[in-house]
Amino acid sequence: MPKKALDGLTESMFYVLMALNREEMCGIDAAAFIAQKTQGRLQIGPATLYTILGKFESERYIQEVAVDGRKRTYRITEKGRAAYQAELDRLRCCLMDAESEPGNPEGNL
């Protein structure tokens, strides 16, 4: 069965939606938010970031709300919020599955 365009989110995609779920922002601000939120564990380069923003815009997960020269500001849409929530739910299920495995006492993950 063919996958939908954005059937699943990568970690980078998830964090971009997290940033825009917080507030409207441009790509540079989203990248800074992600680096700060993950304490530098995840740093998104410009090529990856703008590829994600382009996909999200074409899938209507985000919409452009302002342009100031080359700076573009984006807002998450209801469809984007639903995708973010679905991924959050999926990750919670993964964590619960892992915690229920023998040798993984609750709280050790």
Side-chain angles (χ1 to χ4, degrees):
M1 173 180 283
K3 292 179 94 174
K4 294 182 228 164
L6 293 176
D7 204 14
L9 298 178
T10 66
E11 183 178 23
S12 296
M13 289 174 163
F14 177 73
Y15 276 98
V16 168
L17 287 180
M18 181 188 297
L20 293 172
N21 194 51
R22 175 175 272 218
E23 63 186 9
E24 295 176 1
M25 60 180 71
C26 68
I28 292 171
D29 291 341
F33 168 85
I34 293 164
Q36 181 271 330
K37 187 71 171 179
T38 65
Q39 297 177 357
R41 180 183 56 78
L42 180 62
Q43 295 191 23
I44 299 178
T48 300
L49 177 65
Y50 291 106
T51 297
I52 290 170
L53 291 173
K55 285 181 183 179
F56 281 173
E57 197 170 19
S58 70
E59 290 294 320
R60 294 181 169 61
Y61 283 10
I62 64 172
Q63 68 184 77
E64 188 177 272
V65 294
V67 178
D68 182 14
R70 292 179 51 170
K71 179 180 176 180
R72 299 177 184 284
T73 302
Y74 299 94
R75 160 189 316 145
I76 193 168
T77 64
E78 286 306 312
K79 186 175 180 182
R81 276 193 183 84
Y84 175 72
Q85 186 61 53
E87 183 66 5
L88 193 55
D89 293 344
R90 186 190 72 78
L91 291 169
R92 284 184 178 130
C93 287
C94 290
L95 187 57
M96 287 183 349
D97 289 343
E99 288 175 339
S100 72
E101 281 298 298
N104 290 326
E106 193 172 301
N108 278 355
L109 293 179

